[in-house]
Amino acid sequence: MIIVSGSASKSLSKTLAHEMGVKLANVESRRFPDDECYVRIHDNLDGEEVIVVQTSYPDEKIIELFLLQDAVREFKVEKLVTVIPYYGYARQDKKFNEGEPISAKTLARLISLSSDSLFTVDIHEEKIMDWFDIPSKNISGMPQLGVYLKNLEPDIIIAPDKGAQDLAKIVAEVVDCDWDYLEKIRIDGENVEMKAKNLSVSGKKVAIVDDIIATGGTIVRATEHLRSQGAKEVYAACTHGLFAKNALPRLQGVCHEVISTDTIENEASVVSVAKEVAKAL
Ligand code: R5P
C-alpha cells in the first residue's frame, strides 16, 4: 500500500502514512509557465494498492486530483482508492435556480471515473455519497475535534444551526458535556442572522462546532448571540476551515480560539483527521 499526496493535502498525507505505517510516494507537482498543472510520480506503483489524497479545493486542486488519478492508472496498480478530505462544491447540492448544475453531482461523477472507491470527511450533505458510481464512505472528523476540545473543558457544545446538531451531539459525547443548537436564518451567501433563543450559557465556556467555516459570518453571529446571553468564553471549531475573505483573523478577534482539522491545511488546523481516515481505510 502506498499514499500519493496531492499538493493540497501534504501534511495530512504524511500523518496518514505514519498512522498506517505505509510509504508516501515521491510526487512532483508544479505549474507550467502558463499555469497549467504538471504532475509526475517518481515511484513504480505496479502491483500496489494506491491511496490518492487530495482536497478538492480550490479549483486548481481538482485538476491536479484528476491528473494524479490518471498518473496512477498509467501503472498496473492493484487498486486505486481516492481520499478527498474536504469535498469542495458540496454546498451546490441542488438546483437553487433553474439553469444551474448540481455541482456536487458533477464532481462525484468525474471523481468516480478513475477510482475504485472514495472516502471523504464530513461531507456537507450525506445524500451526495449516493452520487458516486463507486463504493464511498463519509468519515466524521467530530470525534477528533471532541478529543481536542475536551482539554479546553467547555461546559456546553453549541451547533450554529439545527442542521449541525448531530455534529454537536458527537462532540459533546466525547467531551462529556451538554449540547444545544442555535437557529440560523441565512440572508445571503455572506450574511446570516440568529433567531432569538434562550440557551443556558450564562457564565459558561462554550464551544461552537460546525462542518465548515467559510466567510465566518455564521460564527461571528453565533458568538455575538452567545455573548449577549452571558457566555464567558467562546471557542469555534470546524472540520473544514475555508476561511474565505480573511475570515481567520476576523474570527480570532472575536473568539478565544479558532480550531479546524487538517482537511484544509492552514494555521488553524491543529486537529488531524488521520486517525479516523486510517481506521476507515
Ligand atoms: C452551512 O450550512 C454550513 O454548515 C456552515 O454553517 C456554513 O457554510 C458557514 O458559512 P459561513 O462561514 O460563510 O457563515
Side-chain angles (χ1 to χ4, degrees):
M1 200 180 264
I2 187 164
I3 293 178
V4 167
S5 170
S7 62
S9 299
K10 278 189 175 165
S11 165
L12 171 57
S13 296
K14 203 170 157 196
T15 319
L16 187 61
H18 180 74
E19 194 66 44
M20 298 176 72
V22 302
K23 202 183 149 195
L24 202 54
N26 179 6
V27 180
E28 183 183 349
S29 166
R30 58 181 166 83
R31 299 262 145 201
F32 285 111
D34 61 1
D35 220 29
E36 284 182 351
C37 182
Y38 172 88
V39 298
R40 183 174 173 198
I41 297 164
H42 291 277
D43 286 282
N44 181 2
L45 303 182
D46 287 346
E48 292 277 5
E49 194 170 312
V50 182
I51 304 164
V52 173
V53 186
Q54 171 82 322
T55 265
S56 60
Y57 173 87
D59 284 1
E60 70 225 36
K61 304 298 180 188
I62 301 175
I63 297 291
E64 188 188 309
L65 166 66
F66 293 151
L67 296 180
L68 283 173
Q69 285 180 319
D70 273 9
V72 170
R73 282 285 181 220
E74 289 295 327
F75 294 94
K76 292 179 183 60
V77 298
E78 180 73 24
K79 195 174 174 194
L80 196 173
V81 177
T82 303
V83 176
I84 307 207
Y86 168 62
Y87 187 79
Y89 285 95
R91 285 175 294 171
Q92 182 77 21
D93 60 343
K94 61 178 172 213
K95 285 188 201 181
F96 295 92
N97 297 291
E98 203 42 53
E100 291 176 352
I102 304 171
S103 312
K105 201 183 230 177
T106 312
L107 205 56
R109 245 190 338 246
L110 293 171
I111 289 166
S112 302
L113 289 175
S114 294
S115 195
D116 296 312
S117 61
L118 180 282
F119 292 80
T120 189
V121 182
D122 283 332
I123 198 150
H124 183 62
E125 189 54 63
E126 190 70 38
K127 73 173 179 212
I128 298 170
M129 301 311 290
D130 296 336
W131 295 336
F132 290 96
D133 301 322
I134 50 178
S136 61
K137 187 174 171 53
N138 182 30
I139 304 159
S140 176
M142 290 297 138
Q144 289 307 315
L145 277 178
V147 169
Y148 184 91
L149 288 172
K150 195 175 172 71
N151 290 323
L152 302 175
E153 302 179 332
D155 299 299
I156 186 163
I157 308 296
I158 298 286
D161 54 43
K162 205 170 177 191
Q165 61 175 329
D166 287 346
L167 309 181
K169 248 188 259 180
I170 299 173
V171 173
E173 211 164 281
V174 178
V175 175
D176 193 20
C177 68
D178 291 336
W179 67 273
D180 208 332
Y181 64 89
L182 288 163
E183 293 197 30
K184 178 170 94 175
I185 308 160
R186 182 160 285 285
I187 312 294
D188 56 38
E190 291 185 31
N191 298 294
V192 299
E193 269 175 18
M194 293 294 163
K195 254 197 204 167
K197 180 177 177 187
N198 285 331
L199 298 161
S200 72
V201 293
S202 180
K204 291 187 177 168
K205 212 187 234 194
V206 184
I208 309 167
V209 295
D210 207 352
D211 60 341
I212 303 172
I213 297 179
T215 65
T218 298
I219 298 295
V220 170
R221 290 287 162 266
T223 304
E224 285 170 357
H225 198 78
L226 293 165
R227 283 204 196 283
S228 74
Q229 294 197 27
K232 186 176 64 172
E233 289 177 25
V234 180
Y235 295 81
C238 67
T239 307
H240 313 297
L242 284 169
F243 304 125
K245 301 196 172 179
N246 227 16
L248 188 55
R250 194 157 67 94
L251 291 172
Q252 284 165 334
V254 296
C255 297
H256 264 75
E257 189 180 340
V258 182
I259 301 134
S260 77
T261 76
D262 52 0
T263 58
I264 297 173
E265 298 174 5
N266 54 54
E267 58 170 290
S269 39
V270 292
V271 174
S272 182
V273 294
K275 260 199 175 68
E276 302 297 330
V277 175
K279 226 189 282 172
L281 284 167

